[in-house]
Amino acid sequence: MFGVVRILHSTMYSSLRMLMSLLPGRWSTPAMTASLTGVKSRPLFDPPKDMHFRMSELVKELQEDIFAMLKKYEPDHWQEIRDEREGLYKCSRFMQDGDVFEKAAVNVTNTKRPISAGMFQKRALDGVRFSSNNPSDYMLLTASISLIFHPHNPFAPTVHANYRYFETVNTKTAAVEDWYFGGGSDLTPSYVIDEDGTYFHTVLKNALDPIDSTLYSDWKRRADEYFRIPHRGVAGSGECRGIGGVFYNQYDDRDPETMYRVQTALGKALNDAYFPILAKRKDTPYTSEHKQWQGLRHGRYVEFNVMYDEGTKYGLIHAPQTAESILVSLPLTARYEAHHKPVPGSHEEKSFDVFCRPKESWIN
């Protein structure tokens, strides 16, 4: 059967939860069987007292900078949902069915509230040594920005990025007992164009090298490993959803000031890394066959996000009231064809080969 599937978030939610409950999650690691007393030593560094405030301000600034660039390409169609109250700042800007973008969103969420029992247990199972076993003794402080842009044109790639900071504070001692940074940027083309991949990866490397020249190669490898669909590929060997970028998660083994510089550098590099590619590809002529291939690649995007992405899974399980914000990352349309194989020697086949066998290096 051939088909085009329009992704309707609200109607998919219950089925997604059932699907996720049947799948071996990426959280199924030895750490998940650890006792609540923890096995992970405290971080080597303590974050500055104002780190949460600084990260909260940074993600707001990044949202404004990125949104200003978005509006140059897509001036209309935007919606905004804002929620500001004690312990919460949330600003979601999104659109769909625009002139350039099928869907685009750039969201900021900053929180300061009691940690949930579920999050407390997860961090304890991850190995964090809390001084108290009572979740009510702790506040969770978060600051994050996430974005996703799905262009209409099959030759213009999708881009995804997020930058976040988590901090758990003991309200009785005011001590920060758990903190980490996470994030990354990755490019997902339907049609792999080498010069675009080289350009995107070079901008990310140039942003990181002045801070630490070892970060790009390490986090590029992590991105290739993380953004992989294990059940796809040739003979079940796995298939990447795109051509990667950089990825890092629960990062607490470096000086927090260094990681703040990383978040700033990568966040400010996003406009330079993506929009020149978009400008070059958004008006490329294409056919219905090109759109069909894009639909198939969108299908892979959906598979990864609802089956393997840690943020999506955790959000749907522990914060189902935010399902619409979580699933905004999905493309507006996706296509599924039984036993589809690209035509030998075609651009589609060459792209598929890169998805199945990621390049060791994009940079000459």
Side-chain angles (χ1 to χ4, degrees):
M1 293 292 291
F2 292 63
V4 176
V5 180
R6 192 172 180 88
I7 307 303
L8 302 176
H9 295 164
S10 58
T11 59
M12 287 178 61
Y13 174 63
S14 60
S15 59
L16 289 179
R17 286 199 62 166
M18 182 178 296
L19 175 63
M20 289 186 298
S21 69
L22 299 175
L23 291 168
R26 292 202 173 191
W27 299 331
S28 299
T29 65
M32 292 299 290
T33 61
S35 74
L36 292 180
T37 57
V39 295
K40 179 180 178 181
S41 61
R42 284 287 307 278
L44 297 176
F45 305 92
D46 290 323
K49 295 295 184 182
D50 64 347
M51 182 57 74
H52 176 253
F53 172 79
R54 288 161 58 193
M55 276 297 302
S56 296
E57 293 301 303
L58 174 61
V59 295
K60 291 179 185 179
E61 178 185 344
L62 292 175
Q63 184 184 44
E64 295 302 326
D65 291 347
I66 295 167
F67 186 63
M69 184 64 75
L70 274 170
K71 292 197 72 174
K72 292 181 179 180
Y73 292 88
E74 196 76 75
D76 303 315
H77 309 290
W78 290 96
Q79 300 180 59
E80 178 178 291
I81 297 177
R82 187 182 290 265
D83 188 355
E84 295 184 62
R85 44 199 162 98
E86 185 175 358
L88 174 67
Y89 173 88
K90 184 173 183 177
C91 180
S92 299
R93 292 171 179 165
F94 58 95
M95 56 78 58
Q96 60 188 31
D97 282 328
D99 298 320
V100 173
F101 294 106
E102 177 182 292
K103 184 191 276 187
V106 54
N107 300 333
V108 162
T109 304
N110 299 328
T111 67
K112 184 178 181 181
R113 55 179 54 180
I115 193 169
S116 68
M119 174 62 89
F120 183 82
Q121 183 180 48
K122 180 183 183 303
R123 293 304 292 154
L125 288 171
D126 284 343
V128 175
R129 292 181 180 273
F130 290 113
S131 62
S132 168
N133 287 328
N134 188 352
S136 64
D137 291 338
Y138 293 91
M139 294 285 289
L140 177 66
L141 286 64
T142 71
S144 65
I145 181 172
S146 61
L147 61 90
I148 182 70
F149 310 149
H150 292 292
H152 282 296
N153 195 298
F155 292 96
T158 289
V159 71
H160 157 265
N162 67 77
Y163 311 103
R164 58 192 180 275
Y165 175 69
F166 281 58
E167 181 178 290
T168 307
V169 180
N170 186 314
T171 57
K172 294 184 176 180
T173 65
V176 177
E177 296 192 9
D178 179 33
W179 64 268
Y180 64 86
F181 292 86
S185 319
D186 65 287
L187 199 68
T188 304
S190 297
Y191 288 92
V192 175
I193 300 173
D194 285 350
E195 74 173 279
D196 293 351
T198 296
Y199 175 80
F200 183 80
H201 279 264
T202 298
V203 173
L204 298 186
K205 186 177 187 299
N206 289 344
L208 290 171
D209 277 358
I211 302 171
D212 186 333
S213 61
T214 68
L215 291 178
Y216 167 76
S217 58
D218 181 23
W219 292 353
K220 187 267 184 193
R221 175 184 54 79
R222 294 190 189 195
D224 289 341
E225 293 172 352
Y226 180 78
F227 294 108
R228 197 166 187 83
I229 309 168
H231 64 269
R232 289 291 189 176
V234 179
S237 60
E239 174 186 328
C240 292
R241 78 175 187 187
I243 62 170
V246 294
F247 174 80
Y248 49 101
N249 190 32
Q250 298 186 14
Y251 221 74
D252 64 1
D253 60 351
R254 289 178 181 266
D255 173 18
E257 293 292 351
T258 298
M259 289 304 301
Y260 178 80
R261 289 176 59 201
V262 165
Q263 303 294 65
T264 303
L266 285 177
K268 291 186 176 295
L270 192 280
N271 282 350
D272 289 338
Y274 179 69
F275 286 103
I277 298 174
L278 178 68
K280 188 181 297 185
R281 307 299 175 197
K282 67 182 180 66
D283 297 317
T284 301
Y286 62 85
T287 66
S288 59
E289 286 76 16
H290 293 133
K291 287 295 290 183
Q292 289 174 5
W293 175 252
Q294 181 190 50
L296 290 170
R297 297 313 306 171
H298 280 180
R300 297 297 204 267
Y301 205 95
V302 172
E303 288 179 33
F304 174 84
N305 275 39
V306 302
M307 296 174 72
Y308 299 110
D309 183 70
E310 293 184 8
T312 301
K313 290 167 62 178
Y314 185 83
L316 290 177
I317 292 170
H318 295 282
Q321 70 277 10
T322 65
E324 290 293 332
S325 295
I326 295 166
L327 295 175
V328 76
S329 62
L330 301 183
L332 195 62
T333 58
R335 185 179 181 90
Y336 297 88
E337 295 185 15
H339 306 289
H340 179 274
K341 292 183 180 180
V343 175
S346 65
H347 197 168
E348 291 85 355
E349 185 188 55
K350 293 175 182 177
S351 298
F352 183 69
D353 185 66
V354 174
F355 301 142
C356 292
R357 289 174 279 273
K359 289 190 176 188
E360 289 190 13
S361 175
W362 281 97
I363 301 172
N364 298 328

